[in-house]
Amino acid sequence: MQKHEMKNLPTSVPTEIRCNCCGKVIPLQNGIAMQDFFHAEKTWGYFSQKDGITHSFDLCETCYDRIVSAFAIAPSENE
Ligand SMILES: [Zn+2]
C-alpha cells in the first residue's frame, strides 16, 4: 500500500509504503525506499469476476518469503 504526494507534475513521490500483509512501514528517504519490497499490480480482464478492476499491493521481504514458500512451484530466479 503506497501513499503518494504530487510534488512536481506529472510525477509523484511516495510518502508512505506499508506492507499490506503485516502493516510494517517500509522506510523512505526522499521518497526512495531504504528496504526493498515486492510490489504487484493487476488489472483484471473480461474473463474474470473483477473485469476492469485494478488491484495493487506491497509486501515486505519477510512476508514475501513466507508467502512464496507456500507455493507448489517456487518463483523462477534469474541473476
Ligand atoms: Zn510484511
Side-chain angles (χ1 to χ4, degrees), residues 1 12 19 28 31 34-35 39-40 42 46-47 57 59-60 67 70-72 75-76 78-79:
M1 181 224 33
S12 67
C19 173
L28 297 172
M34 293 290 108
Q35 287 180 359
H39 176 76
K42 165 69 178 168
Y46 181 76
F47 296 105
F57 60 89
L59 295 174
C60 70
I67 289 167
F71 285 4
S76 56
N78 295 301
E79 283 193 35

Side-chain angles (χ1 to χ4, degrees), residues 2-32:
Q2 298 187 21
K3 294 181 182 176
H4 285 245
E5 179 178 310
M6 299 304 285
K7 294 259 182 176
N8 298 311
L9 293 173
T11 61
S12 67
V13 175
T15 56
E16 182 179 83
I17 302 174
R18 295 176 72 104
C19 173
N20 283 74
C21 187
C22 71
K24 173 185 166 184
V25 173
I26 305 296
L28 297 172
Q29 194 166 45
N30 299 321
I32 298 170

Side-chain angles (χ1 to χ4, degrees), residues 61-72:
E61 189 171 9
T62 300
C63 288
Y64 173 88
D65 288 344
R66 186 180 64 252
I67 289 167
V68 300
S69 72
F71 285 4

